Amino acid sequence: MKTILVTGGAGFIGSHTCVELLQNGYRICVVDNFCNSSPATLDAIHEITGKYFPSYNCDLIDEKALAQVFQEEKIDAVIHFAGLKAVGESVQKPTLYYRNNVTGTLNLLEQMEQNGVRRLVFSSSATVYGENNPIPYKEDMPTGQTTNPYGTTKAMIEQILRDLCQSDSRWSTMLLRYFNPIGAHPSGLIGEDPNGIPNNLMPYIMRVAQGTLPYLNIFGNDYPTKDGTGVRDYIHVCDLAVGHVKALNALFAQEGASVYNLGTGQGSSVLEVVKTFEQESGVPVPYQFAPRRAGDLPEYFADASKAMQELGWQAQFTLADMCRDSWNFIKMKSPSERELVAK
Ligand code: NAD
Ligand code: UDP
């Protein structure tokens, strides 16, 4: 049985991927410093899968602590989710983002090299396509015209990984470019619930539906899109998790660096997301139109054909599934709902 080190395994995408790995015959160990997650998520992964696994409260910046993990565990490959991801914060605190994301990755790669672990799956992002590419985005388009430090860390890490594979044929990496992950595990036990006022669309809609925020601001209704609001490729986090296991399986059989879009290939507007959420939940989401958000592109979505042809992966869940599961997770967080489910 192969052991996969999952950095950031307590986070939103990492936790769903841990479940998928455990359910597909992999052993895992998790490294997370819980700066944007909670150890309780690791208990929830155990509750869903019935499987125990080691975890380490460890910051990738802490080289000694990371070395200790590699001494204690016999690792076959790494899936690297750990990173900071708030675009606006990255503009305010660029050095924090470069240190955490880029230096953290370099520390990880050095430990991997020293311990002879040379297979890595990396969480990249559609943001690396920047502002100038036509849609849909294809993997062979130029990248790097990023518009904020967060996106630049992703483009830089992609380049570091390509250079590493070029320098030594024993290295093999998968660069997975996610589009807009939403949804939650159907159990309702893991999902996304950021601290503070959310920046992203679906967590914001959740707060409005819960009644903790009064209305949604829709940023722009004059874009050249189907209804004037921004269009994105929303993908269910459980589909993403399956994509990671497929990529990992392929990683053990490949050499060099490969890159795949993980998206559905379908664009949905903000208004379509709001309407679909209302239909699935039965809860109204009041909204008002607000000015465009600085840095937002009108529309983008994936060309998802490469992952289908080469990994045999295709997203299965619809936007309605994503809205239903996101809402189910939020409802399950309230104690009364949990008691009802337990009965
Ligand atoms: P998340 O914040 O929920 O998970 C990231 C996890 O990494 C958290 O548990 C956090 O505590 C941990 N972490 C951060 N810095 C660390 C460090 N230095 N050492 C150890 N642990 C650390 O985010 P997510 O949505 O699950 O995203 C996972 C990855 O996917 C990130 O790299 C993110 O940039 C990338 N990504 C996310 C999205 C998205 O919309 N969610 C889109 C594209 C790419
Ligand atoms: N959006 C919005 N109101 C919000 C948050 C987001 O109208 O409160 C829009 C945003 O302008 C974009 C889409 O929803 O068109 C997705 O934004 P999100 O921040 O979730 O992801 P992004 O694609 O920007 O990474």
Side-chain angles (χ1 to χ4, degrees), residues 87 179-180 182 198-205 216-220 223 229-232 234 268 270 292-293 296-298 300:
V87 170
F179 281 67
N180 285 55
I182 57 171
N199 293 307
N200 296 114
L201 180 62
M202 189 53 88
Y204 204 104
I205 290 177
L216 172 71
N217 282 304
I218 296 184
F219 300 136
Y223 284 116
T229 65
V231 167
R232 295 290 183 273
Y234 297 93
S268 302
V270 177
R292 293 179 179 190
R293 185 170 64 177
D296 272 358
L297 293 176
Y300 61 84

mmCIF file of all heavy atoms in Angstrom, residues 87 179-180 182 198-205 216-220 223 229-232 234 268 270 292-293 296-298 300, ligand 2:
data_model
loop_
_atom_site.group_PDB
_atom_site.id
_atom_site.type_symbol
_atom_site.label_atom_id
_atom_site.label_comp_id
_atom_site.label_asym_id
_atom_site.label_seq_id
_atom_site.Cartn_x
_atom_site.Cartn_y
_atom_site.Cartn_z
ATOM 1 N N VAL A 87 -6.719 36.185 -2.599
ATOM 2 C CA VAL A 87 -6.141 37.089 -3.603
ATOM 3 C C VAL A 87 -5.916 38.490 -3.020
ATOM 4 O O VAL A 87 -4.821 39.054 -3.130
ATOM 5 C CB VAL A 87 -7.075 37.152 -4.837
ATOM 6 C CG1 VAL A 87 -6.632 38.251 -5.785
ATOM 7 C CG2 VAL A 87 -7.104 35.803 -5.535
ATOM 8 N N PHE A 179 -10.294 25.138 -11.449
ATOM 9 C CA PHE A 179 -11.138 26.279 -11.778
ATOM 10 C C PHE A 179 -11.838 26.720 -10.479
ATOM 11 O O PHE A 179 -11.131 27.044 -9.530
ATOM 12 C CB PHE A 179 -11.998 25.960 -13.013
ATOM 13 C CG PHE A 179 -11.139 26.108 -14.256
ATOM 14 C CD1 PHE A 179 -10.079 25.224 -14.493
ATOM 15 C CD2 PHE A 179 -11.272 27.191 -15.094
ATOM 16 C CE1 PHE A 179 -9.201 25.413 -15.559
ATOM 17 C CE2 PHE A 179 -10.405 27.387 -16.171
ATOM 18 C CZ PHE A 179 -9.378 26.498 -16.395
ATOM 19 N N ASN A 180 -13.144 26.753 -10.357
ATOM 20 C CA ASN A 180 -13.734 27.306 -9.126
ATOM 21 C C ASN A 180 -14.375 26.202 -8.276
ATOM 22 O O ASN A 180 -15.533 25.852 -8.499
ATOM 23 C CB ASN A 180 -14.768 28.384 -9.479
ATOM 24 C CG ASN A 180 -14.118 29.675 -9.926
ATOM 25 O OD1 ASN A 180 -13.325 29.679 -10.851
ATOM 26 N ND2 ASN A 180 -14.439 30.774 -9.272
ATOM 27 N N ILE A 182 -16.364 24.396 -5.514
ATOM 28 C CA ILE A 182 -17.426 24.654 -4.518
ATOM 29 C C ILE A 182 -18.027 23.288 -4.143
ATOM 30 O O ILE A 182 -17.490 22.256 -4.521
ATOM 31 C CB ILE A 182 -18.518 25.622 -5.044
ATOM 32 C CG1 ILE A 182 -19.151 25.103 -6.336
ATOM 33 C CG2 ILE A 182 -17.930 27.013 -5.266
ATOM 34 C CD1 ILE A 182 -20.384 25.908 -6.778
ATOM 35 N N PRO A 198 -16.655 36.261 3.845
ATOM 36 C CA PRO A 198 -16.042 35.536 2.728
ATOM 37 C C PRO A 198 -15.773 36.445 1.530
ATOM 38 O O PRO A 198 -16.494 37.414 1.292
ATOM 39 C CB PRO A 198 -17.094 34.491 2.348
ATOM 40 C CG PRO A 198 -18.075 34.461 3.461
ATOM 41 C CD PRO A 198 -18.020 35.788 4.123
ATOM 42 N N ASN A 199 -14.758 36.088 0.752
ATOM 43 C CA ASN A 199 -14.472 36.769 -0.511
ATOM 44 C C ASN A 199 -15.118 36.046 -1.686
ATOM 45 O O ASN A 199 -15.490 36.668 -2.667
ATOM 46 C CB ASN A 199 -12.961 36.800 -0.768
ATOM 47 C CG ASN A 199 -12.247 37.678 0.231
ATOM 48 O OD1 ASN A 199 -12.622 38.829 0.408
ATOM 49 N ND2 ASN A 199 -11.252 37.138 0.902
ATOM 50 N N ASN A 200 -15.200 34.732 -1.585
ATOM 51 C CA ASN A 200 -15.664 33.939 -2.728
ATOM 52 C C ASN A 200 -17.182 33.831 -2.756
ATOM 53 O O ASN A 200 -17.857 33.953 -1.733
ATOM 54 C CB ASN A 200 -15.042 32.538 -2.697
ATOM 55 C CG ASN A 200 -13.537 32.594 -2.865
ATOM 56 O OD1 ASN A 200 -12.807 32.250 -1.948
ATOM 57 N ND2 ASN A 200 -13.076 33.062 -3.997
ATOM 58 N N LEU A 201 -17.678 33.574 -3.961
ATOM 59 C CA LEU A 201 -19.121 33.656 -4.190
ATOM 60 C C LEU A 201 -19.935 32.671 -3.341
ATOM 61 O O LEU A 201 -20.866 33.085 -2.638
ATOM 62 C CB LEU A 201 -19.410 33.420 -5.683
ATOM 63 C CG LEU A 201 -20.876 33.467 -6.074
ATOM 64 C CD1 LEU A 201 -21.486 34.833 -5.804
ATOM 65 C CD2 LEU A 201 -21.044 33.081 -7.551
ATOM 66 N N MET A 202 -19.603 31.383 -3.413
ATOM 67 C CA MET A 202 -20.480 30.412 -2.749
ATOM 68 C C MET A 202 -20.483 30.577 -1.226
ATOM 69 O O MET A 202 -21.567 30.590 -0.611
ATOM 70 C CB MET A 202 -20.111 28.984 -3.170
ATOM 71 C CG MET A 202 -21.092 27.933 -2.710
ATOM 72 S SD MET A 202 -22.817 28.270 -3.166
ATOM 73 C CE MET A 202 -22.916 27.518 -4.766
ATOM 74 N N PRO A 203 -19.319 30.743 -0.567
ATOM 75 C CA PRO A 203 -19.378 30.987 0.875
ATOM 76 C C PRO A 203 -20.176 32.250 1.225
ATOM 77 O O PRO A 203 -20.866 32.280 2.250
ATOM 78 C CB PRO A 203 -17.905 31.133 1.275
ATOM 79 C CG PRO A 203 -17.151 30.416 0.213
ATOM 80 C CD PRO A 203 -17.934 30.585 -1.057
ATOM 81 N N TYR A 204 -20.120 33.255 0.359
ATOM 82 C CA TYR A 204 -20.891 34.486 0.630
ATOM 83 C C TYR A 204 -22.387 34.194 0.519
ATOM 84 O O TYR A 204 -23.186 34.623 1.370
ATOM 85 C CB TYR A 204 -20.477 35.602 -0.349
ATOM 86 C CG TYR A 204 -20.745 36.985 0.194
ATOM 87 C CD1 TYR A 204 -19.715 37.780 0.677
ATOM 88 C CD2 TYR A 204 -22.059 37.487 0.261
ATOM 89 C CE1 TYR A 204 -19.964 39.046 1.205
ATOM 90 C CE2 TYR A 204 -22.309 38.748 0.782
ATOM 91 C CZ TYR A 204 -21.263 39.520 1.252
ATOM 92 O OH TYR A 204 -21.516 40.767 1.780
ATOM 93 N N ILE A 205 -22.765 33.448 -0.520
ATOM 94 C CA ILE A 205 -24.188 33.085 -0.671
ATOM 95 C C ILE A 205 -24.670 32.311 0.562
ATOM 96 O O ILE A 205 -25.789 32.528 1.058
ATOM 97 C CB ILE A 205 -24.398 32.245 -1.963
ATOM 98 C CG1 ILE A 205 -24.206 33.135 -3.199
ATOM 99 C CG2 ILE A 205 -25.756 31.568 -1.986
ATOM 100 C CD1 ILE A 205 -24.323 32.398 -4.526
ATOM 101 N N LEU A 216 -26.365 39.658 -1.072
ATOM 102 C CA LEU A 216 -25.172 39.427 -1.888
ATOM 103 C C LEU A 216 -24.934 40.647 -2.773
ATOM 104 O O LEU A 216 -25.886 41.144 -3.397
ATOM 105 C CB LEU A 216 -25.405 38.185 -2.769
ATOM 106 C CG LEU A 216 -24.348 37.896 -3.841
ATOM 107 C CD1 LEU A 216 -23.044 37.414 -3.210
ATOM 108 C CD2 LEU A 216 -24.867 36.845 -4.830
ATOM 109 N N ASN A 217 -23.707 41.095 -2.824
ATOM 110 C CA ASN A 217 -23.321 42.078 -3.843
ATOM 111 C C ASN A 217 -22.882 41.311 -5.073
ATOM 112 O O ASN A 217 -21.934 40.515 -5.007
ATOM 113 C CB ASN A 217 -22.141 42.928 -3.356
ATOM 114 C CG ASN A 217 -22.585 43.993 -2.376
ATOM 115 O OD1 ASN A 217 -23.448 44.807 -2.687
ATOM 116 N ND2 ASN A 217 -22.007 43.952 -1.186
ATOM 117 N N ILE A 218 -23.544 41.552 -6.189
ATOM 118 C CA ILE A 218 -23.098 40.937 -7.448
ATOM 119 C C ILE A 218 -22.202 41.945 -8.143
ATOM 120 O O ILE A 218 -22.658 43.043 -8.525
ATOM 121 C CB ILE A 218 -24.292 40.521 -8.327
ATOM 122 C CG1 ILE A 218 -25.096 39.428 -7.604
ATOM 123 C CG2 ILE A 218 -23.808 40.044 -9.692
ATOM 124 C CD1 ILE A 218 -26.251 38.857 -8.412
ATOM 125 N N PHE A 219 -20.930 41.573 -8.290
ATOM 126 C CA PHE A 219 -19.929 42.532 -8.781
ATOM 127 C C PHE A 219 -20.001 42.631 -10.300
ATOM 128 O O PHE A 219 -19.348 41.868 -11.006
ATOM 129 C CB PHE A 219 -18.528 42.113 -8.344
ATOM 130 C CG PHE A 219 -18.342 42.039 -6.850
ATOM 131 C CD1 PHE A 219 -17.678 40.972 -6.259
ATOM 132 C CD2 PHE A 219 -18.835 43.038 -6.018
ATOM 133 C CE1 PHE A 219 -17.487 40.905 -4.889
ATOM 134 C CE2 PHE A 219 -18.653 42.978 -4.644
ATOM 135 C CZ PHE A 219 -17.986 41.904 -4.069
ATOM 136 N N GLY A 220 -20.792 43.574 -10.789
ATOM 137 C CA GLY A 220 -20.867 43.834 -12.230
ATOM 138 C C GLY A 220 -22.054 43.138 -12.868
ATOM 139 O O GLY A 220 -22.242 41.932 -12.678
ATOM 140 N N TYR A 223 -21.049 43.063 -17.871
ATOM 141 C CA TYR A 223 -20.015 42.335 -18.607
ATOM 142 C C TYR A 223 -20.590 41.809 -19.916
ATOM 143 O O TYR A 223 -21.807 41.538 -19.998
ATOM 144 C CB TYR A 223 -19.513 41.137 -17.777
ATOM 145 C CG TYR A 223 -18.581 41.490 -16.645
ATOM 146 C CD1 TYR A 223 -18.950 41.249 -15.319
ATOM 147 C CD2 TYR A 223 -17.317 42.008 -16.893
ATOM 148 C CE1 TYR A 223 -18.085 41.540 -14.271
ATOM 149 C CE2 TYR A 223 -16.449 42.308 -15.844
ATOM 150 C CZ TYR A 223 -16.832 42.064 -14.548
ATOM 151 O OH TYR A 223 -15.978 42.357 -13.523
ATOM 152 N N THR A 229 -23.479 39.237 -15.878
ATOM 153 C CA THR A 229 -22.699 38.966 -14.661
ATOM 154 C C THR A 229 -21.539 38.024 -15.003
ATOM 155 O O THR A 229 -21.543 37.360 -16.041
ATOM 156 C CB THR A 229 -23.589 38.370 -13.534
ATOM 157 O OG1 THR A 229 -24.092 37.086 -13.926
ATOM 158 C CG2 THR A 229 -24.757 39.300 -13.230
ATOM 159 N N GLY A 230 -20.560 37.968 -14.113
ATOM 160 C CA GLY A 230 -19.325 37.225 -14.370
ATOM 161 C C GLY A 230 -19.582 35.730 -14.534
ATOM 162 O O GLY A 230 -20.449 35.156 -13.863
ATOM 163 N N VAL A 231 -18.813 35.112 -15.400
ATOM 164 C CA VAL A 231 -18.986 33.680 -15.686
ATOM 165 C C VAL A 231 -17.720 32.920 -15.270
ATOM 166 O O VAL A 231 -16.604 33.330 -15.592
ATOM 167 C CB VAL A 231 -19.291 33.465 -17.189
ATOM 168 C CG1 VAL A 231 -19.167 31.997 -17.567
ATOM 169 C CG2 VAL A 231 -20.682 33.984 -17.525
ATOM 170 N N ARG A 232 -17.924 31.813 -14.535
ATOM 171 C CA ARG A 232 -16.817 30.961 -14.078
ATOM 172 C C ARG A 232 -17.189 29.490 -14.279
ATOM 173 O O ARG A 232 -18.366 29.152 -14.411
ATOM 174 C CB ARG A 232 -16.541 31.181 -12.574
ATOM 175 C CG ARG A 232 -16.053 32.566 -12.212
ATOM 176 C CD ARG A 232 -14.647 32.824 -12.707
ATOM 177 N NE ARG A 232 -14.172 34.144 -12.282
ATOM 178 C CZ ARG A 232 -14.380 35.274 -12.961
ATOM 179 N NH1 ARG A 232 -15.056 35.255 -14.093
ATOM 180 N NH2 ARG A 232 -13.896 36.419 -12.522
ATOM 181 N N TYR A 234 -17.525 26.453 -12.313
ATOM 182 C CA TYR A 234 -17.630 25.918 -10.955
ATOM 183 C C TYR A 234 -17.527 24.402 -11.014
ATOM 184 O O TYR A 234 -18.140 23.764 -11.876
ATOM 185 C CB TYR A 234 -18.946 26.361 -10.295
ATOM 186 C CG TYR A 234 -18.995 27.858 -10.139
ATOM 187 C CD1 TYR A 234 -19.585 28.661 -11.117
ATOM 188 C CD2 TYR A 234 -18.375 28.483 -9.060
ATOM 189 C CE1 TYR A 234 -19.583 30.044 -11.009
ATOM 190 C CE2 TYR A 234 -18.366 29.873 -8.948
ATOM 191 C CZ TYR A 234 -18.968 30.639 -9.917
ATOM 192 O OH TYR A 234 -18.947 32.006 -9.808
ATOM 193 N N SER A 268 -20.802 29.182 -15.782
ATOM 194 C CA SER A 268 -22.078 29.600 -15.175
ATOM 195 C C SER A 268 -21.935 31.038 -14.693
ATOM 196 O O SER A 268 -20.891 31.416 -14.137
ATOM 197 C CB SER A 268 -22.429 28.728 -13.961
ATOM 198 O OG SER A 268 -22.494 27.377 -14.331
ATOM 199 N N VAL A 270 -22.978 34.463 -12.348
ATOM 200 C CA VAL A 270 -23.322 34.662 -10.926
ATOM 201 C C VAL A 270 -24.837 34.518 -10.746
ATOM 202 O O VAL A 270 -25.301 33.850 -9.800
ATOM 203 C CB VAL A 270 -22.849 36.044 -10.432
ATOM 204 C CG1 VAL A 270 -23.263 36.267 -8.986
ATOM 205 C CG2 VAL A 270 -21.335 36.185 -10.563
ATOM 206 N N ARG A 292 -18.143 46.505 -10.667
ATOM 207 C CA ARG A 292 -17.215 45.403 -10.924
ATOM 208 C C ARG A 292 -16.131 45.357 -9.853
ATOM 209 O O ARG A 292 -15.706 46.411 -9.371
ATOM 210 C CB ARG A 292 -16.535 45.601 -12.280
ATOM 211 C CG ARG A 292 -17.472 45.487 -13.456
ATOM 212 C CD ARG A 292 -16.698 45.728 -14.743
ATOM 213 N NE ARG A 292 -17.563 45.609 -15.912
ATOM 214 C CZ ARG A 292 -17.113 45.587 -17.154
ATOM 215 N NH1 ARG A 292 -15.814 45.706 -17.396
ATOM 216 N NH2 ARG A 292 -17.940 45.448 -18.175
ATOM 217 N N ARG A 293 -15.677 44.158 -9.497
ATOM 218 C CA ARG A 293 -14.589 44.020 -8.524
ATOM 219 C C ARG A 293 -13.258 44.147 -9.271
ATOM 220 O O ARG A 293 -13.065 43.503 -10.312
ATOM 221 C CB ARG A 293 -14.696 42.652 -7.841
ATOM 222 C CG ARG A 293 -13.723 42.405 -6.723
ATOM 223 C CD ARG A 293 -14.039 41.132 -5.945
ATOM 224 N NE ARG A 293 -13.918 39.917 -6.733
ATOM 225 C CZ ARG A 293 -14.087 38.690 -6.277
ATOM 226 N NH1 ARG A 293 -14.439 38.498 -5.010
ATOM 227 N NH2 ARG A 293 -13.960 37.644 -7.049
ATOM 228 N N ASP A 296 -11.204 41.417 -11.628
ATOM 229 C CA ASP A 296 -12.031 40.294 -12.106
ATOM 230 C C ASP A 296 -12.065 40.259 -13.631
ATOM 231 O O ASP A 296 -12.203 41.305 -14.284
ATOM 232 C CB ASP A 296 -13.479 40.437 -11.619
ATOM 233 C CG ASP A 296 -13.692 39.802 -10.267
ATOM 234 O OD1 ASP A 296 -12.737 39.214 -9.710
ATOM 235 O OD2 ASP A 296 -14.830 39.897 -9.750
ATOM 236 N N LEU A 297 -11.998 39.073 -14.205
ATOM 237 C CA LEU A 297 -12.201 38.898 -15.638
ATOM 238 C C LEU A 297 -13.679 38.634 -15.886
ATOM 239 O O LEU A 297 -14.373 38.091 -15.011
ATOM 240 C CB LEU A 297 -11.371 37.712 -16.143
ATOM 241 C CG LEU A 297 -9.856 37.906 -16.089
ATOM 242 C CD1 LEU A 297 -9.134 36.639 -16.507
ATOM 243 C CD2 LEU A 297 -9.447 39.058 -16.995
ATOM 244 N N PRO A 298 -14.186 39.010 -17.081
ATOM 245 C CA PRO A 298 -15.613 38.795 -17.348
ATOM 246 C C PRO A 298 -15.997 37.311 -17.321
ATOM 247 O O PRO A 298 -16.981 36.929 -16.704
ATOM 248 C CB PRO A 298 -15.814 39.354 -18.759
ATOM 249 C CG PRO A 298 -14.591 40.123 -19.089
ATOM 250 C CD PRO A 298 -13.495 39.680 -18.185
ATOM 251 N N TYR A 300 -14.368 33.061 -17.764
ATOM 252 C CA TYR A 300 -13.436 32.019 -18.201
ATOM 253 C C TYR A 300 -13.912 30.659 -17.730
ATOM 254 O O TYR A 300 -14.623 30.524 -16.740
ATOM 255 C CB TYR A 300 -11.989 32.287 -17.781
ATOM 256 C CG TYR A 300 -11.687 32.392 -16.308
ATOM 257 C CD1 TYR A 300 -11.462 31.249 -15.542
ATOM 258 C CD2 TYR A 300 -11.584 33.629 -15.684
ATOM 259 C CE1 TYR A 300 -11.142 31.337 -14.197
ATOM 260 C CE2 TYR A 300 -11.272 33.723 -14.342
ATOM 261 C CZ TYR A 300 -11.058 32.575 -13.603
ATOM 262 O OH TYR A 300 -10.761 32.671 -12.272
HETATM 263 N N1 UDP B 2 -18.733 37.446 -6.995
HETATM 264 C C1 UDP B 2 -19.787 38.296 -6.701
HETATM 265 N N2 UDP B 2 -20.035 38.611 -5.397
HETATM 266 C C2 UDP B 2 -19.277 38.122 -4.367
HETATM 267 C C3 UDP B 2 -18.206 37.248 -4.677
HETATM 268 C C4 UDP B 2 -17.952 36.933 -6.010
HETATM 269 O O1 UDP B 2 -20.491 38.758 -7.609
HETATM 270 O O2 UDP B 2 -19.533 38.457 -3.205
HETATM 271 C C5 UDP B 2 -18.469 37.072 -8.404
HETATM 272 C C6 UDP B 2 -17.101 37.470 -8.919
HETATM 273 O O3 UDP B 2 -17.140 38.784 -9.423
HETATM 274 C C7 UDP B 2 -16.857 36.410 -9.997
HETATM 275 C C8 UDP B 2 -17.579 35.171 -9.441
HETATM 276 O O4 UDP B 2 -18.534 35.663 -8.481
HETATM 277 O O5 UDP B 2 -17.499 36.777 -11.203
HETATM 278 C C9 UDP B 2 -16.636 34.177 -8.749
HETATM 279 O O6 UDP B 2 -15.867 34.885 -7.791
HETATM 280 P P1 UDP B 2 -14.992 34.122 -6.698
HETATM 281 O O7 UDP B 2 -14.365 35.150 -5.820
HETATM 282 O O8 UDP B 2 -15.786 33.047 -6.043
HETATM 283 O O9 UDP B 2 -13.874 33.363 -7.579
HETATM 284 P P2 UDP B 2 -12.771 33.938 -8.606
HETATM 285 O O10 UDP B 2 -13.167 33.395 -9.935
HETATM 286 O O11 UDP B 2 -12.786 35.421 -8.527
HETATM 287 O O12 UDP B 2 -11.513 33.325 -8.127
#
